[in-house]
Amino acid sequence: MRRLLAVFPVLLCVLLGAPAGVGAAAHEVTYDRYSLKVDGERLVLQSAEFHYFRLPSPELWRDVLEKLRAAGFNAVSIYFSWAYHSPKPGVYDFTGVRDVDRLLRTARQAGLYVIARPGPYINAESTGGGLPAWVKTVPGRARSSAPGYQAAYREWLHRINPIIARHQVTGGGPVILYNAENEYQVNTDAAYMQDIQDQARADGIDVPITTNDCCDAGSWSSTWATGPGAVQIPGVDDYPQSFECATPEVWGPWGEGLTERLRDDIPVFAAEYQAGAIDLGNAGYDRCRELTGPAYMKYFYKNNLVTTGATMFSYYMGYGGTNWGWLAQPNDVYTSYDYGAAITEARQLTPKYDEFKRQGYFLEAVAPLAKTDPVTSPAAPDNPALTTTARANPDTGTQFVLVKHADRTATGTDDATLDWAAPDGRHRVPVRVKGRDAHVLVAGYDLGGQRLVLSTSEIMTHASIGGRDVAVLYGTAGSPGATILRYGSRPAVKVLEGDVRAEYSGGDLRLDYTHDGLARVLVTGGGRRPLLLLLGTDEAAAGFWRAGTGAGPVLVRGTALVRSASASGDTLRLAADTAGGQIEVFAGPAARRLRIGAEDVPVTRTPSGSLLGSTRAPEPVRLPALTAWRSRAEAPEAAPGFDDSRWTAADHTTTISPHQPKTLPVLYADDYGYHYGNVWYRGHFTAAGSETRIDLNAVTGLRGNYLVWLNGRYLGSAAGGVEADSGDASTPPNPDPGPGHFDLPAGVLRPGADNVISVLVANMGHNDDWIADDLRFKQPRGLVAATVGGPVGGPVGGTVGGTPISWRIQGSPGTDPLRGPLNNGGLYGERTGWHLPTYPDKSWKTASAELTPGVTWLRTAFHLDLPRGQDAPVGLRFGGDPSPAYRVQIFLNGWNVGQYGGDIGPQRDFVLPAGILDEHGTNTIALAVTAEQPVAGPGPISLFTYGNVRQGR
Ligand code: GAL
């Protein structure tokens, strides 16, 4: 029955009745070799990845999702992070910033389908790859059928699946696909892969199940098309540009980026197609945006579209967000997960967004794209520098011709005449292609009420507005364009703007022009309804927004964004962001008035039939200076007399970790339930008097360190072990600045008495489990070896002169119900609430510029009253040069919004997201600064804005 369910979910759903939906009508999802279909209607799935857990402000989810929809995306792909919801076994939280029910409702309201990706493993450069750190203490290989792990992941699936299930398309919700696991390798454990699907079906998932194969491998699908573990629609991940953001000029180092057809009975699915990059080389995300910028998008995305005929695209990432708290996997990312995406971490739109919009609108408007077969190219260029590849819709005959350079790395500009055997006749037309560019040209297309014979301009969109067709076509500025339309008789052609030559002969109206600004041509008569042709450059085309109303679609230009539109009587109302300047609206003749949000915008009618008005510039934003910093040094844990009797005794002698410690007891933080952020250790021993050194070894993940005191005296710091050391975590890790040998200065030791070693160990997050390797995933965090010894005979293990070191450990209580398990570690200030806005800091002293080794907190408050009805995202900027001698945890109103420091990464600007930031009230910034040596503190520190628009809702 389970197998049957997997094969005929939709049919069963229809027969048995849909699961409880969100109220709207149930729909049927099917597919064939060409595309997905909803209620039998073909769909080109154009999805972008978004991680709610990287935007801890549910109000802003709506903003990002609406921005994706406005770019022409019709779907959003969402990983669900198990770690984000579960601090310990059996405990799950889906409230507040973790309210995924709200997330899925918001997606539906934004008009987006959802590809739901609950893992259990998600990778995503998130801590543990989405596996909670407590899974490290569960016996049995993670990502396998091992009983311990199985019980754990089933627990997660039975919590998350029912939520996803009640939002499926089959019940009127947005979830159209369910992605099982992540880049799971065929040779690992097919039963595990099958069980995830069986659990999903049992929990009511009835949409098609997909998975994403890694790296062009196609492993599940090709080898296991029908065997256990096989999914209905496998897809492939492609990252042709790699992650070397420092060299954006290197083109396609990881290949052609052509998504393979995996099976004949399913559409070609680009499950994760590169749309940004992690910043492996610390080049900064602007370089990542360049690496994956509009040129790359034009070439690789269009090449993929026409060469493979893919109709399911999911771009990773549409919006990257923030690794706030301890969300980051430590080896590849720092706080910002901006990803060089089309929408920045601070929700700003970039030129990449424009390119998505040009392509997304095209995919949405031109229906024959959803069903195409490869055909011999009907268009031959007379310049060998250019090549063409083509597909055609077998039902309509519509041709899609890709024109690009034969050498994909070519950088010059080439012209050619295309000899094009289009369905409606043969024509010679000019094309010009810049290096690393590609155009998809269309012929034989019923464009609304028109017949497009062909065009060497690309189609952005077209709409039937007020009884006429309005079409936006575009091309590179300065390049020649030719558009041919077919008429029953000679039509009247009126060039309203620009330089366009028209010629009619034998039923064909041929328009020739150069792409320059925005030309406008009105064609009437000829046996068809009127056509307003808008011929623009890439830039002019990107200025258009399309939205639907009850009275039909509208096109808008001159706004920073259009989220939606509605028509009532003679008024057209837009929900739009504006930044001042001219606005033009193409709507039906009934529309005479324009409202943006709650504001009337006076308009006049233009010769193009559009409405023209202007919007007001936003009010300038004034931000206060950050002054009156107060500070307090902490780390009482370092003092010998500190009472640690209530701390957890670290006395385990065994661990299930695949890494065995070199000294006992086991000091792994996870084994004592401390999974995130810093941990403190205190080790008591009675000194013989001959000891001269302490040898420690801690594993922290990349960028981590540890600080050591003996009897209150600071001995120094060392860098912690990293993922590369996971082969044997107890071998000396990161050699720089040394594997933790600390010589004891004279007079510190107290022979015959109690001595206390205090160690503050950072935990930068947990390794991922990319290849289902427990050695990597279960690499411990915290101390992995500790000895006190003398020069003769070397260290004596975990004991001193036969007296064991007796250890206690303290970490985050992990009990903040609002901010969740990843917000805090175990710094004294975190345990005492120094990061919280309510903490009374009046007794703290005025901050001094100098830091002493250990942890110093800095706090200040500021008042904001940003202009209402505007969106001006605020950031915190660290000026000056960051020092490797300190690291700063940044708390905004108690939320851990990031980490700054010379060893942490190149990031100096930190987003303070609205929702956490009170834009009309008092805010508290608390910085926990851990210094390894005496050093000048961070600064100057200031507030700034990333942008400023009026938000008409
Ligand atoms: C993919 C993976 C994603 C993410 C991406 C790189 O292989 O599936 O989760 O890690 O690489 O950002």
Side-chain angles (χ1 to χ4, degrees), residues 484-553:
I484 302 175
L485 295 146
R486 171 137 287 213
Y487 288 93
S489 57
R490 179 183 292 272
V493 179
K494 193 165 171 193
V495 177
L496 300 171
E497 206 175 315
D499 184 9
V500 179
R501 296 166 307 284
E503 202 184 298
Y504 180 78
S505 109
D508 287 335
L509 172 69
R510 175 170 171 146
L511 304 171
D512 279 279
Y513 46 89
T514 299
H515 296 103
D516 176 21
L518 185 70
R520 301 166 187 239
V521 183
L522 184 64
V523 187
T524 49
R528 297 188 184 274
R529 64 189 190 205
L531 167 69
L532 177 66
L533 204 54
L534 303 168
L535 302 163
T537 57
D538 286 6
E539 295 70 28
F544 280 90
W545 301 92
R546 181 185 175 136
T549 75

Coordinates of all heavy atoms in Angstrom, one line a residue, residues 484-553:
I484 N 8.6 40.7 -36.3 CA 7.7 40.5 -37.4 C 6.4 39.9 -36.8 O 6.4 39.0 -36.1 CB 8.3 39.6 -38.4 CG1 9.7 40.1 -38.9 CG2 7.3 39.3 -39.6 CD1 10.4 39.2 -39.9
L485 N 5.3 40.6 -37.2 CA 4.0 40.2 -36.8 C 3.1 39.9 -38.0 O 3.3 40.6 -39.1 CB 3.3 41.3 -35.9 CG 4.1 41.6 -34.6 CD1 4.0 43.0 -34.2 CD2 3.5 40.7 -33.5
R486 N 2.2 39.1 -37.9 CA 1.4 38.7 -39.0 C 0.0 39.3 -38.9 O -0.7 39.3 -37.9 CB 1.3 37.2 -39.1 CG 0.3 36.6 -40.0 CD 0.9 35.4 -40.7 NE 1.9 35.8 -41.7 CZ 2.2 35.1 -42.8 NH1 1.5 34.1 -43.1 NH2 3.1 35.5 -43.7
Y487 N -0.5 39.8 -40.1 CA -1.8 40.4 -40.1 C -2.6 40.0 -41.3 O -2.0 39.6 -42.3 CB -1.7 42.0 -40.1 CG -1.3 42.5 -38.7 CD1 0.1 42.7 -38.5 CD2 -2.2 42.7 -37.7 CE1 0.5 43.1 -37.2 CE2 -1.8 43.1 -36.5 CZ -0.4 43.3 -36.2 OH 0.0 43.7 -35.0
G488 N -3.9 40.0 -41.2 CA -4.8 39.7 -42.3 C -4.8 40.7 -43.4 O -5.0 40.5 -44.6
S489 N -4.6 42.0 -42.9 CA -4.6 43.1 -43.9 C -3.6 44.1 -43.3 O -3.2 44.0 -42.1 CB -6.0 43.7 -44.1 OG -6.4 44.1 -42.8
R490 N -3.3 45.1 -44.0 CA -2.3 46.1 -43.6 C -2.8 46.9 -42.3 O -3.9 47.5 -42.3 CB -2.1 47.2 -44.7 CG -1.1 48.3 -44.3 CD -1.0 49.3 -45.4 NE -0.3 48.7 -46.6 CZ 1.0 48.7 -46.8 NH1 1.8 49.2 -45.9 NH2 1.5 48.2 -47.9
P491 N -2.1 46.8 -41.2 CA -2.5 47.5 -40.0 C -2.0 48.9 -40.0 O -1.1 49.3 -40.8 CB -1.8 46.7 -38.9 CG -0.6 46.2 -39.5 CD -0.8 46.0 -41.0
A492 N -2.5 49.8 -39.1 CA -2.0 51.1 -39.0 C -0.9 51.1 -37.9 O -1.1 50.5 -36.8 CB -3.1 52.1 -38.5
V493 N 0.2 51.7 -38.2 CA 1.3 51.6 -37.3 C 1.7 53.0 -36.8 O 1.9 53.9 -37.7 CB 2.6 51.0 -37.9 CG1 3.8 51.0 -37.0 CG2 2.3 49.6 -38.4
K494 N 1.7 53.3 -35.5 CA 2.0 54.6 -35.0 C 3.2 54.4 -34.1 O 3.0 53.8 -33.0 CB 0.8 55.1 -34.3 CG 0.8 56.6 -34.0 CD -0.6 57.1 -33.6 CE -0.5 58.5 -33.1 NZ -1.7 58.9 -32.5
V495 N 4.3 55.1 -34.4 CA 5.4 55.0 -33.5 C 5.2 56.2 -32.5 O 5.3 57.4 -32.9 CB 6.8 55.1 -34.3 CG1 7.9 55.2 -33.3 CG2 6.9 54.0 -35.3
L496 N 4.9 55.8 -31.3 CA 4.6 56.9 -30.3 C 5.9 57.4 -29.7 O 6.0 58.6 -29.3 CB 3.8 56.2 -29.2 CG 2.5 55.7 -29.6 CD1 1.8 54.9 -28.4 CD2 1.5 56.8 -30.0
E497 N 6.9 56.6 -29.7 CA 8.2 57.1 -29.1 C 9.3 56.2 -29.6 O 9.1 55.0 -29.8 CB 8.1 56.9 -27.6 CG 9.0 57.9 -26.8 CD 8.8 57.7 -25.3 OE1 7.6 57.7 -24.9 OE2 9.8 57.6 -24.6
G498 N 10.5 56.8 -29.9 CA 11.6 56.1 -30.4 C 11.7 56.0 -31.9 O 10.9 56.7 -32.6
D499 N 12.7 55.3 -32.4 CA 13.0 55.3 -33.8 C 12.8 53.8 -34.3 O 13.6 53.0 -34.1 CB 14.5 55.7 -34.0 CG 14.8 55.8 -35.4 OD1 13.9 55.7 -36.3 OD2 16.0 55.9 -35.7
V500 N 11.6 53.6 -34.8 CA 11.2 52.3 -35.3 C 10.8 52.4 -36.7 O 9.9 53.2 -37.0 CB 10.1 51.7 -34.4 CG1 9.7 50.3 -34.9 CG2 10.6 51.6 -32.9
R501 N 11.3 51.6 -37.6 CA 10.9 51.6 -39.0 C 10.0 50.4 -39.2 O 10.2 49.3 -38.8 CB 12.1 51.4 -39.9 CG 13.1 52.6 -39.8 CD 14.5 52.3 -40.4 NE 15.1 51.1 -39.9 CZ 15.7 51.1 -38.7 NH1 15.7 52.1 -37.9 NH2 16.3 49.9 -38.4
A502 N 8.9 50.7 -39.9 CA 7.8 49.6 -40.1 C 7.7 49.4 -41.6 O 7.7 50.3 -42.4 CB 6.5 50.1 -39.5
E503 N 7.5 48.1 -42.0 CA 7.3 47.8 -43.4 C 6.3 46.6 -43.4 O 6.4 45.6 -42.7 CB 8.6 47.3 -43.9 CG 8.7 47.4 -45.4 CD 10.0 46.9 -45.9 OE1 11.1 47.5 -45.5 OE2 10.0 45.9 -46.7
Y504 N 5.3 46.8 -44.3 CA 4.3 45.7 -44.4 C 4.4 45.1 -45.7 O 4.4 45.8 -46.8 CB 2.9 46.3 -44.1 CG 1.8 45.3 -44.3 CD1 1.6 44.4 -43.2 CD2 1.0 45.2 -45.4 CE1 0.6 43.4 -43.3 CE2 0.0 44.2 -45.5 CZ -0.2 43.3 -44.5 OH -1.2 42.4 -44.6
S505 N 4.4 43.8 -45.8 CA 4.4 43.1 -47.1 C 3.9 41.7 -46.9 O 4.4 41.0 -46.0 CB 5.7 43.2 -47.8 OG 6.4 42.0 -47.9
G506 N 3.0 41.3 -47.7 CA 2.6 39.9 -47.8 C 2.0 39.4 -46.5 O 2.2 38.2 -46.1
G507 N 1.4 40.2 -45.7 CA 0.8 39.8 -44.4 C 1.7 40.0 -43.2 O 1.3 39.8 -42.1
D508 N 3.0 40.3 -43.5 CA 4.0 40.5 -42.4 C 4.2 41.9 -42.2 O 4.6 42.7 -43.1 CB 5.3 39.8 -42.7 CG 5.2 38.3 -42.6 OD1 4.3 37.8 -41.9 OD2 6.0 37.6 -43.3
L509 N 4.1 42.3 -40.9 CA 4.5 43.7 -40.5 C 5.9 43.5 -39.9 O 6.1 42.8 -38.9 CB 3.6 44.3 -39.5 CG 4.1 45.6 -38.9 CD1 4.1 46.7 -39.9 CD2 3.2 46.0 -37.7
R510 N 6.9 44.1 -40.5 CA 8.3 44.0 -40.0 C 8.7 45.3 -39.4 O 8.6 46.4 -40.0 CB 9.2 43.6 -41.1 CG 10.7 43.6 -40.6 CD 11.6 42.9 -41.6 NE 13.0 43.1 -41.1 CZ 14.0 42.3 -41.3 NH1 13.7 41.1 -41.9 NH2 15.2 42.5 -40.9
L511 N 9.1 45.3 -38.1 CA 9.6 46.5 -37.4 C 11.1 46.3 -37.2 O 11.6 45.3 -36.7 CB 8.9 46.6 -36.0 CG 7.4 46.6 -36.1 CD1 6.8 46.5 -34.7 CD2 6.9 47.9 -36.8
D512 N 11.9 47.3 -37.6 CA 13.3 47.3 -37.3 C 13.7 48.5 -36.5 O 13.2 49.6 -36.6 CB 14.1 47.3 -38.7 CG 14.2 46.0 -39.3 OD1 15.0 45.2 -38.9 OD2 13.3 45.7 -40.2
Y513 N 14.6 48.3 -35.6 CA 15.0 49.3 -34.6 C 16.3 49.0 -33.9 O 16.8 47.9 -34.1 CB 13.8 49.4 -33.5 CG 13.4 48.0 -33.0 CD1 14.0 47.5 -31.9 CD2 12.4 47.3 -33.7 CE1 13.6 46.2 -31.5 CE2 12.0 46.1 -33.3 CZ 12.7 45.5 -32.2 OH 12.3 44.2 -31.8
T514 N 16.8 49.9 -33.1 CA 17.9 49.6 -32.3 C 17.4 49.8 -30.8 O 16.6 50.7 -30.5 CB 19.0 50.7 -32.5 OG1 19.4 50.6 -33.9 CG2 20.2 50.5 -31.6
H515 N 17.8 48.8 -30.0 CA 17.3 48.9 -28.6 C 18.0 50.1 -27.9 O 19.2 50.2 -27.8 CB 17.7 47.6 -27.8 CG 17.0 46.4 -28.4 ND1 17.7 45.5 -29.2 CD2 15.8 46.0 -28.2 CE1 16.8 44.5 -29.5 NE2 15.6 44.8 -28.9
D516 N 17.1 51.0 -27.5 CA 17.6 52.3 -27.0 C 16.5 52.9 -26.2 O 15.4 53.2 -26.7 CB 17.9 53.2 -28.2 CG 18.4 54.6 -27.7 OD1 18.8 54.7 -26.6 OD2 18.3 55.5 -28.6
G517 N 16.7 52.9 -24.8 CA 15.6 53.5 -24.0 C 14.4 52.6 -24.1 O 14.5 51.4 -24.1
L518 N 13.2 53.2 -24.3 CA 12.0 52.5 -24.5 C 11.2 53.1 -25.6 O 10.7 54.2 -25.6 CB 11.1 52.6 -23.2 CG 9.9 51.8 -23.2 CD1 10.2 50.3 -23.1 CD2 9.0 52.2 -22.0
A519 N 11.2 52.3 -26.7 CA 10.4 52.7 -27.9 C 8.9 52.2 -27.7 O 8.7 51.2 -27.1 CB 11.0 52.2 -29.2
R520 N 8.0 52.9 -28.3 CA 6.6 52.5 -28.2 C 5.9 52.5 -29.6 O 6.0 53.6 -30.3 CB 5.8 53.5 -27.3 CG 6.4 53.6 -25.9 CD 5.8 54.8 -25.2 NE 6.5 55.0 -23.9 CZ 5.9 55.0 -22.7 NH1 4.6 54.8 -22.6 NH2 6.6 55.2 -21.6
V521 N 5.3 51.5 -29.9 CA 4.7 51.4 -31.2 C 3.2 50.9 -31.0 O 3.0 49.9 -30.3 CB 5.4 50.4 -32.1 CG1 4.7 50.3 -33.5 CG2 6.9 50.7 -32.2
L522 N 2.3 51.6 -31.6 CA 0.9 51.2 -31.5 C 0.4 50.7 -32.8 O 0.5 51.4 -33.8 CB 0.0 52.4 -31.0 CG -1.5 52.1 -30.8 CD1 -1.7 51.2 -29.6 CD2 -2.2 53.5 -30.6
V523 N 0.0 49.4 -32.8 CA -0.5 48.8 -34.1 C -2.0 48.6 -34.0 O -2.4 47.9 -33.0 CB 0.3 47.5 -34.3 CG1 -0.1 47.0 -35.7 CG2 1.8 47.7 -34.2
T524 N -2.8 49.1 -34.9 CA -4.2 48.9 -34.8 C -4.7 48.4 -36.2 O -4.0 48.5 -37.2 CB -5.0 50.2 -34.5 OG1 -4.5 51.2 -35.4 CG2 -4.8 50.6 -33.1
G525 N -5.9 47.8 -36.2 CA -6.4 47.3 -37.5 C -5.7 46.0 -37.9 O -5.2 45.3 -37.0
G526 N -5.8 45.7 -39.2 CA -5.2 44.5 -39.7 C -5.9 43.2 -39.3 O -5.3 42.1 -39.4
G527 N -7.1 43.4 -38.8 CA -7.9 42.2 -38.4 C -7.6 41.7 -37.0 O -8.0 40.5 -36.7
R528 N -6.9 42.4 -36.2 CA -6.6 42.0 -34.9 C -6.9 43.1 -33.9 O -7.0 44.2 -34.3 CB -5.1 41.6 -34.7 CG -4.7 40.4 -35.6 CD -3.3 40.0 -35.3 NE -2.9 38.9 -36.2 CZ -3.2 37.6 -36.1 NH1 -3.9 37.2 -35.0 NH2 -2.8 36.7 -36.9
R529 N -6.9 42.7 -32.6 CA -7.1 43.8 -31.6 C -5.8 44.6 -31.5 O -4.8 44.2 -31.9 CB -7.5 43.2 -30.2 CG -6.5 42.3 -29.6 CD -7.1 41.7 -28.4 NE -6.1 41.0 -27.6 CZ -6.4 40.0 -26.8 NH1 -7.6 39.5 -26.7 NH2 -5.5 39.4 -26.0
P530 N -5.9 45.8 -31.0 CA -4.7 46.7 -31.0 C -3.6 46.1 -30.2 O -3.8 45.3 -29.2 CB -5.2 48.0 -30.3 CG -6.7 47.9 -30.4 CD -7.1 46.5 -30.4
L531 N -2.4 46.5 -30.6 CA -1.2 46.0 -29.9 C -0.3 47.3 -29.5 O 0.0 48.1 -30.4 CB -0.4 45.1 -30.8 CG 1.1 44.8 -30.3 CD1 1.1 43.9 -29.1 CD2 1.9 44.1 -31.5
L532 N 0.0 47.4 -28.3 CA 1.0 48.4 -27.9 C 2.3 47.6 -27.6 O 2.4 46.8 -26.7 CB 0.6 49.1 -26.6 CG 1.6 50.1 -26.1 CD1 1.8 51.3 -27.1 CD2 1.2 50.7 -24.7
L533 N 3.3 47.9 -28.5 CA 4.6 47.2 -28.4 C 5.5 48.1 -27.7 O 5.8 49.2 -28.1 CB 5.0 46.9 -29.8 CG 6.0 45.7 -30.0 CD1 5.5 44.4 -29.4 CD2 6.2 45.6 -31.5
L534 N 6.1 47.6 -26.6 CA 7.1 48.4 -25.8 C 8.4 47.7 -26.0 O 8.6 46.6 -25.6 CB 6.7 48.5 -24.3 CG 5.3 49.0 -24.1 CD1 4.9 48.8 -22.7 CD2 5.3 50.5 -24.4
L535 N 9.3 48.4 -26.7 CA 10.6 47.8 -27.1 C 11.7 48.5 -26.3 O 12.0 49.7 -26.5 CB 10.9 48.0 -28.6 CG 9.8 47.4 -29.5 CD1 9.9 48.0 -30.9 CD2 9.9 45.9 -29.5
G536 N 12.3 47.8 -25.3 CA 13.3 48.5 -24.5 C 14.6 47.8 -24.4 O 14.8 46.7 -25.0
T537 N 15.5 48.5 -23.7 CA 16.8 47.9 -23.4 C 16.6 46.9 -22.2 O 15.5 46.9 -21.6 CB 17.8 48.9 -23.0 OG1 17.2 49.6 -21.8 CG2 18.1 49.9 -24.1
D538 N 17.6 46.2 -21.8 CA 17.5 45.3 -20.6 C 17.0 46.1 -19.4 O 16.2 45.7 -18.7 CB 18.8 44.7 -20.3 CG 19.3 43.6 -21.2 OD1 18.6 43.4 -22.2 OD2 20.3 43.0 -21.0
E539 N 17.6 47.3 -19.3 CA 17.4 48.2 -18.1 C 15.9 48.7 -18.2 O 15.3 48.7 -17.1 CB 18.3 49.3 -18.1 CG 19.8 49.0 -17.9 CD 20.5 48.3 -19.1 OE1 20.0 48.5 -20.3 OE2 21.4 47.5 -18.9
A540 N 15.5 49.1 -19.3 CA 14.1 49.6 -19.4 C 13.1 48.5 -19.1 O 12.1 48.7 -18.4 CB 13.9 50.2 -20.8
A541 N 13.4 47.3 -19.6 CA 12.5 46.2 -19.4 C 12.4 45.9 -17.9 O 11.3 45.6 -17.3 CB 13.0 44.9 -20.1
A542 N 13.6 45.9 -17.2 CA 13.6 45.6 -15.8 C 12.8 46.6 -14.9 O 12.4 46.3 -13.8 CB 15.0 45.6 -15.3
G543 N 12.5 47.7 -15.5 CA 11.7 48.7 -14.8 C 10.2 48.4 -14.7 O 9.5 49.0 -14.0
F544 N 9.8 47.4 -15.5 CA 8.4 47.0 -15.5 C 8.0 46.0 -14.4 O 8.8 45.1 -14.1 CB 8.0 46.4 -16.8 CG 7.8 47.4 -17.9 CD1 8.8 47.8 -18.8 CD2 6.5 47.9 -18.1 CE1 8.6 48.7 -19.8 CE2 6.3 48.8 -19.2 CZ 7.3 49.2 -20.0
W545 N 6.9 46.2 -13.8 CA 6.3 45.3 -12.9 C 4.9 44.8 -13.4 O 4.2 45.6 -14.0 CB 6.1 46.0 -11.5 CG 7.4 46.5 -10.9 CD1 7.9 47.7 -11.1 CD2 8.3 45.7 -10.1 NE1 9.1 47.8 -10.4 CE2 9.4 46.6 -9.8 CE3 8.3 44.4 -9.6 CZ2 10.4 46.2 -9.0 CZ3 9.4 44.0 -8.9 CH2 10.5 44.9 -8.6
R546 N 4.6 43.6 -13.1 CA 3.4 43.1 -13.6 C 2.6 42.6 -12.4 O 3.1 42.0 -11.5 CB 3.6 41.9 -14.5 CG 2.3 41.3 -15.0 CD 2.6 40.1 -15.9 NE 1.3 39.5 -16.2 CZ 0.9 39.1 -17.4 NH1 1.8 39.1 -18.4 NH2 -0.3 38.6 -17.6
A547 N 1.3 42.9 -12.3 CA 0.5 42.4 -11.3 C -0.9 42.2 -11.8 O -1.3 42.7 -12.8 CB 0.4 43.4 -10.1
G548 N -1.6 41.3 -11.2 CA -3.0 40.9 -11.6 C -4.0 41.6 -10.8 O -3.8 41.9 -9.6
T549 N -5.2 42.0 -11.4 CA -6.3 42.5 -10.6 C -7.5 41.8 -11.0 O -7.5 41.0 -12.0 CB -6.5 44.0 -10.9 OG1 -7.2 44.1 -12.2 CG2 -5.3 44.9 -10.9
G550 N -8.6 42.0 -10.3 CA -9.9 41.3 -10.8 C -10.3 41.8 -12.2 O -11.0 41.1 -12.9
A551 N -9.8 42.9 -12.6 CA -10.2 43.5 -13.9 C -9.1 43.2 -14.9 O -9.0 43.8 -16.0 CB -10.4 45.0 -13.8
G552 N -8.2 42.2 -14.6 CA -7.1 41.9 -15.5 C -5.8 42.4 -15.1 O -5.7 43.1 -14.1
P553 N -4.7 42.0 -15.8 CA -3.4 42.4 -15.4 C -3.1 43.9 -15.7 O -3.7 44.5 -16.5 CB -2.5 41.5 -16.3 CG -3.3 41.1 -17.4 CD -4.7 41.1 -17.0

